Amino acid sequence: MTTLTAPTPALRSRTDTGLPARLARSAAAREGAHLATGDFADWLAARGRANRFRVDRIPFTALDGWSFAEGTGNIVHRSGRFFTVEGLHVTHDDGSRREEWYQPIIKQPEIGILGILVKEFDGVLHCLMQAKMEPGNPNLLQLSPTVQATRSNYTKVHKGADVKYLEYFTDPRRARVVADVLQSEHGSWFYRKSNRNMIVEAVGEVELHDDFCWLTLGQLGELLRRDNVVNMDSRTVLACMPFDGDPGHALHSDAELRSWFTAERSRHDVVAERVPLASLPDWRLGETTVSHDQGRYFDVVAVDVQAGSREVARWSQPLFEPVAPGVAAFLTRDFGGVPHVLAHARVEGGFLDTVELGPTVQYTPGNYAHLRGTDRPPFLDLVLAAGRDRIRYEAVHAEEGGRFLNAVSRYLVVDADAVEAPLDPPPGYRWITPWQLSSLVQHSHYVNVQARTLLACLDPGTGRPR
Amino acid sequence: MTTLTAPTPALRSRTDTGLPARLARSAAAREGAHLATGDFADWLAARGRANRFRVDRIPFTALDGWSFAEGTGNIVHRSGRFFTVEGLHVTHDDGSRREEWYQPIIKQPEIGILGILVKEFDGVLHCLMQAKMEPGNPNLLQLSPTVQATRSNYTKVHKGADVKYLEYFTDPRRARVVADVLQSEHGSWFYRKSNRNMIVEAVGEVELHDDFCWLTLGQLGELLRRDNVVNMDSRTVLACMPFDGDPGHALHSDAELRSWFTAERSRHDVVAERVPLASLPDWRLGETTVSHDQGRYFDVVAVDVQAGSREVARWSQPLFEPVAPGVAAFLTRDFGGVPHVLAHARVEGGFLDTVELGPTVQYTPGNYAHLRGTDRPPFLDLVLAAGRDRIRYEAVHAEEGGRFLNAVSRYLVVDADAVEAPLDPPPGYRWITPWQLSSLVQHSHYVNVQARTLLACLDPGTGRPR
């Protein structure tokens, strides 16, 4: 006698315990199976020559498809899609001090996909990266993830070409997921924007298209040491790679760390309300800019774009242009032989949930030039004055070139000592290991985009700058 | 020669590996060191006799300190604190279907603390629980966490007595943190409400006040099988206890599960905008209720409260009163000997971030009585028709009695088979182990309050109903 039963489905291990070591092996590979690291600059330059790019500043009146909406003065596209530039009114009370400000903000509610396809060659994981023009990039062409698609992109609002390799990120039969998490973007410039950060490992062969190349994590680590090469979308996705070699110990247990984070989130009372762009006190509309009365923060500007390698050949759009370069830095110290970085629970008006962990220092120094003494942002002067012998990592990176024009920051990891950066730091700051940070990045709303850039610049095997 | 160096700080293990086993041991203890389980009902009844409680329905005009705000018709307190009753306009597009509705909603932006203090007696962890009156509880007096304090409570807006034991949750020297996480509350009734769910282990002796008792997790498990004894605040905090005995395997790896959740969150487009209460189509204001035209969902009502054991002796307030009891159930199946529950990625208008994981079924059946066939909510009829032999857990619990009047639901865990609840469930549903659910509850915005109630009713050692 036989009993008819359904076949027992195979269970999977909750965690892929082999994956972190494979990623660490890729991070240790300074050369790849396809493109030699030494040939990368020539390859990128050739891709630039193969495509025609041109970006010109234009007055708002010359924008095609964009206009100031009646009543609000918000900058909107005639399709109702893409994004809008609106106003934001933020009040923030941290329990001891209340502040309030108005600013322009980009509202782009739709969730895009930023995805890196990975695949083993010669037993080493390689990432499929793309040479991609974005109008706001200082050098136009940078290295982007395999896929960088807004929902408008892949639902064809702009009537452009298909997004290459998108099927690997939407069809589970084509690839196995390594990481997939919604991450916030710049809370000072975006209203509650998040993108889906995905890493998937291809099943089977992958066709190689023009403008794409396979690179190991070690090669990408090398390129991350160069200025303005690896774009922000690549950096935030790379930050989602699980770390390896966790020593398992830290100054604070994970439960203590989450408790501190919960207390920080509860301590800050943030109310962010969208208001008409035309109503913002301290901001004025000109022919070519919306700018702050004291010349601080950023301008809203307009550009005309001509491109040969993008989905459509010509378009115009608004961009945010910071008035000066920023600086974003982690202070770092070893405790008991384990590297820690000093995270800052930051309020940014556009965050969905109050605070996220940012670098120790994240400022545009020019905006604070008028402040003195204890009014100066904590640790900023320490970072600005750090000598070469203290700087473990340094490079200039640009923020998302599709929305931000020349939004460059100097990213640093700086050694600190017990006097400058004590074990028991000021309220809002906490020592955390790169492995703890890497665990938190697997979930939404914990780590901001600048801290994720710095995390991407750490070696996922050692937790130290590459 | 000696070198002056700072002492090396002690590192901690990232996870307290001994804790889950200690919790499982407490869960296995059916009797405690202080109060016998068999004496609990008498103890609670005695606490009820020792305090005087009276709740009367009153017309809105008889509310003291509360009124309908001019212009909006929102219900507000003259202090500007506590909470307001406003209107909400929700549009929801899941990619295939668009829906839209208006409803009253409670807005209470301040974050409260729900905390359970634990301590070992005779080597077994006990929870300090409180017999507490809430005006909306069906039997008024239920078992609450050690501390249940809004920020108004502990900043004395109501000029009442101190919150007992609060210092254990605010002073890290008094207790060691077990769990501390912001959790959402009812997304259908609250606008983006979250509370801090805390479990802390006391350092040193703890004074025992009137109305408080020490109970093991096993005793609480027994009381969770009784109707209307353990209040919602207790249940959500108990759900944050880490589970033990993880088999380490599941139908889906954690990375796959997070990827599915990320996809669900991205798929649903939810816009929830606050509107004036007076402007809601389909809702009408009477002398004693704000109610839905078809008599569905809930009424807003007003009550007068007299109490001897609360911080202030008499007050009045609005409450939400559902029109009928609800049902909340997990379908459960074993795969490869490992228990799984069928989670549902639910949209609720008041959630901060689109969807959270809810039970398989979470409905007020009366609201769907007019629907037939495929319009019926998935799995609802299966749960309503389940025979005794399929029901692994069943009890009636009330939602938060400080805001909701007689808001009772039948909570169930129901065995399902491969035909009723297939391995590959409909979109929006996913099989997940209790250990995976328990991991997610350590982070915000993943698991809704009804699923947390059901999680609290599972044994943290076996993952099965106690």
Side-chain angles (χ1 to χ4, degrees), chain B residues 30 96 113 132 159 178 257 328 334 363 377 417:
Chain B
R30 297 300 181 112
S96 64
I113 292 180
K132 183 160 188 167
K159 305 184 182 70
V178 171
L257 200 61
D334 273 20
Y363 301 102
D417 65 30

Side-chain angles (χ1 to χ4, degrees), chain A residues 6-16 109 111 151 176-182 191-192 194 196-198 246 248-256 258-260 262-263 265-269 273-274 333 335-338 340 352-354 418 423 433 435-437 439-440 442-446, chain B residues 6-16 109 111 151 176-182 191-192 194 196-198 246 248-256 258-260 262-263 265-269 273-274 333 335-338 340 352-354 418 423 433 435-437 439-440 442-446:
Chain A
T8 303
L11 297 190
R12 301 186 183 187
S13 177
R14 281 185 59 185
T15 53
D16 178 350
I111 293 170
R151 199 188 288 173
R176 203 174 56 92
V177 65
V178 171
D180 184 358
V181 56
L182 288 179
Y191 181 74
R192 300 184 175 177
S194 65
R196 202 170 158 185
N197 284 225
M198 297 182 73
D246 184 2
H249 286 75
L251 268 185
H252 307 286
S253 74
D254 288 7
E256 289 169 332
R258 287 196 299 264
S259 180
W260 167 77
T262 301
R265 189 156 266 174
S266 307
R267 177 167 74 92
H268 292 279
D269 197 2
E273 294 193 294
R274 284 157 51 212
R333 282 181 66 189
F335 298 105
V338 176
H340 287 66
L352 182 64
D353 198 0
T354 319
L423 191 62
T433 73
W435 294 273
Q436 290 179 312
L437 208 52
S439 305
L440 292 178
Q442 300 304 319
H443 307 280
S444 303
H445 309 305
Y446 274 118
Chain B
T8 302
L11 297 189
R12 301 184 183 189
S13 177
R14 281 185 58 185
T15 54
D16 178 352
I111 292 170
R151 200 188 289 175
R176 204 173 56 93
V177 65
V178 171
D180 183 359
V181 55
L182 287 180
Y191 181 73
R192 300 186 174 175
S194 65
R196 201 169 160 185
N197 284 225
M198 296 182 74
D246 183 2
H249 287 73
L251 269 185
H252 308 286
S253 72
D254 288 6
E256 289 170 331
R258 287 196 298 264
S259 180
W260 167 77
T262 301
R265 189 156 266 174
S266 307
R267 176 167 74 91
H268 292 281
D269 198 0
E273 294 195 293
R274 285 157 52 210
R333 282 181 65 189
F335 298 104
V338 176
H340 287 65
L352 182 65
D353 197 0
T354 320
L423 191 62
T433 73
W435 294 272
Q436 291 178 313
L437 207 51
S439 305
L440 293 178
Q442 301 305 319
H443 306 281
S444 302
H445 310 305
Y446 273 118

Side-chain angles (χ1 to χ4, degrees), chain B residues 162-455:
Chain B
D162 284 338
V163 175
K164 289 196 178 66
Y165 302 109
L166 185 61
E167 65 275 18
Y168 288 94
F169 299 88
T170 55
D171 179 354
R173 291 165 303 184
R174 306 291 294 265
R176 204 173 56 93
V177 65
V178 171
D180 183 359
V181 55
L182 287 180
Q183 298 288 5
S184 67
E185 297 203 352
H186 309 76
S188 297
W189 298 335
F190 273 121
Y191 181 73
R192 300 186 174 175
K193 170 82 185 127
S194 65
N195 273 323
R196 201 169 160 185
N197 284 225
M198 296 182 74
I199 304 167
V200 300
E201 185 172 359
V203 174
E205 292 305 299
V206 178
E207 190 184 357
L208 189 64
H209 295 289
D210 283 351
D211 294 330
F212 288 83
C213 66
W214 290 102
L215 296 168
T216 67
L217 287 177
Q219 292 182 292
L220 284 165
E222 173 61 31
L223 299 179
L224 278 165
R225 290 203 153 267
R226 303 180 189 176
D227 293 349
N228 290 316
V229 170
V230 181
N231 83 356
M232 187 216 82
D233 297 326
S234 299
R235 301 192 307 268
T236 176
V237 178
L238 288 170
C240 300
M241 298 274 182
F243 271 38
D244 190 36
D246 183 2
H249 287 73
L251 269 185
H252 308 286
S253 72
D254 288 6
E256 289 170 331
L257 200 61
R258 287 196 298 264
S259 180
W260 167 77
F261 185 78
T262 301
E264 282 298 307
R265 189 156 266 174
S266 307
R267 176 167 74 91
H268 292 281
D269 198 0
V270 180
V271 179
E273 294 195 293
R274 285 157 52 210
V275 295
L277 182 64
S279 78
L280 296 181
D282 311 324
W283 292 81
R284 65 181 62 186
L285 169 65
E287 274 180 38
T288 57
T289 62
V290 178
S291 53
H292 185 258
D293 280 345
Q294 270 81 51
R296 289 195 195 127
Y297 312 116
F298 57 85
D299 296 340
V300 185
V301 302
V303 294
D304 176 79
V305 187
Q306 296 174 60
S309 69
R310 282 294 300 250
E311 293 83 357
V312 291
R314 183 165 190 170
W315 74 91
S316 63
Q317 67 168 91
L319 291 170
F320 276 25
E321 182 178 28
V323 297
V327 59
F330 266 135
L331 292 183
T332 181
R333 282 181 65 189
D334 273 20
F335 298 104
V338 176
H340 287 65
V341 295
L342 187 58
H344 179 205
R346 278 179 64 88
V347 169
E348 299 183 9
F351 282 154
L352 182 65
D353 197 0
T354 320
V355 303
E356 296 193 10
L357 299 182
T360 323
V361 159
Q362 177 190 316
Y363 301 102
T364 300
N367 294 336
Y368 299 87
H370 59 294
L371 299 177
R372 295 284 173 270
T374 54
D375 286 342
R376 301 275 300 162
F379 306 112
L380 174 58
D381 294 326
L382 177 64
V383 165
L384 294 177
R388 304 288 338 155
D389 58 320
R390 312 276 299 269
I391 296 175
R392 294 286 156 258
Y393 172 85
E394 179 176 17
V396 173
H397 295 300
E399 308 308 319
E400 225 276 291
R403 298 290 173 270
F404 308 117
L405 180 60
N406 298 320
V408 292
S409 287
R410 199 156 65 103
Y411 279 91
L412 302 118
V413 178
V414 175
D415 275 346
D417 65 30
V419 174
E420 299 157 342
L423 191 62
D424 190 18
Y429 294 83
R430 206 70 154 194
W431 293 105
I432 173 170
T433 73
W435 294 272
Q436 291 178 313
L437 207 51
S438 175
S439 305
L440 293 178
V441 168
Q442 301 305 319
H443 306 281
S444 302
H445 310 305
Y446 273 118
V447 183
N448 83 353
V449 64
Q450 290 86 353
R452 296 201 306 274
T453 276
L454 285 168
L455 188 63

Side-chain angles (χ1 to χ4, degrees), chain B residues 104-167:
Chain B
I105 196 104
I106 300 174
K107 179 160 176 282
Q108 183 177 0
E110 62 172 36
I111 292 170
I113 292 180
L114 310 178
I116 293 182
L117 185 67
V118 301
K119 184 173 167 53
E120 274 195 359
F121 298 97
D122 303 337
V124 178
L125 284 169
H126 287 61
C127 301
L128 186 58
M129 307 301 289
Q130 180 183 9
K132 183 160 188 167
M133 193 284 291
E134 294 286 354
N137 289 341
N139 43 6
L140 293 182
L141 198 67
Q142 293 196 357
L143 208 51
S144 89
T146 318
V147 158
Q148 188 174 312
T150 63
R151 200 188 289 175
S152 300
N153 270 144
Y154 55 82
T155 56
K156 316 280 180 56
V157 174
H158 65 351
K159 305 184 182 70
D162 284 338
V163 175
K164 289 196 178 66
Y165 302 109
L166 185 61
E167 65 275 18

Side-chain angles (χ1 to χ4, degrees), chain A residues 388-416:
Chain A
R388 305 289 336 156
D389 58 321
R390 313 276 298 269
I391 296 176
R392 294 287 156 257
Y393 172 84
E394 180 176 16
V396 172
H397 296 300
E399 308 308 319
E400 226 275 292
R403 297 290 173 270
F404 308 116
L405 180 60
N406 298 320
V408 292
S409 287
R410 199 157 64 104
Y411 279 90
L412 301 121
V413 178
V414 175
D415 275 346

Side-chain angles (χ1 to χ4, degrees), chain A residues 231-279:
Chain A
N231 83 355
M232 188 215 81
D233 296 327
S234 299
R235 301 191 307 265
T236 175
V237 178
L238 288 169
C240 300
M241 297 274 181
F243 271 38
D244 191 36
D246 184 2
H249 286 75
L251 268 185
H252 307 286
S253 74
D254 288 7
E256 289 169 332
L257 201 61
R258 287 196 299 264
S259 180
W260 167 77
F261 185 77
T262 301
E264 282 298 307
R265 189 156 266 174
S266 307
R267 177 167 74 92
H268 292 279
D269 197 2
V270 180
V271 179
E273 294 193 294
R274 284 157 51 212
V275 296
L277 182 64
S279 78

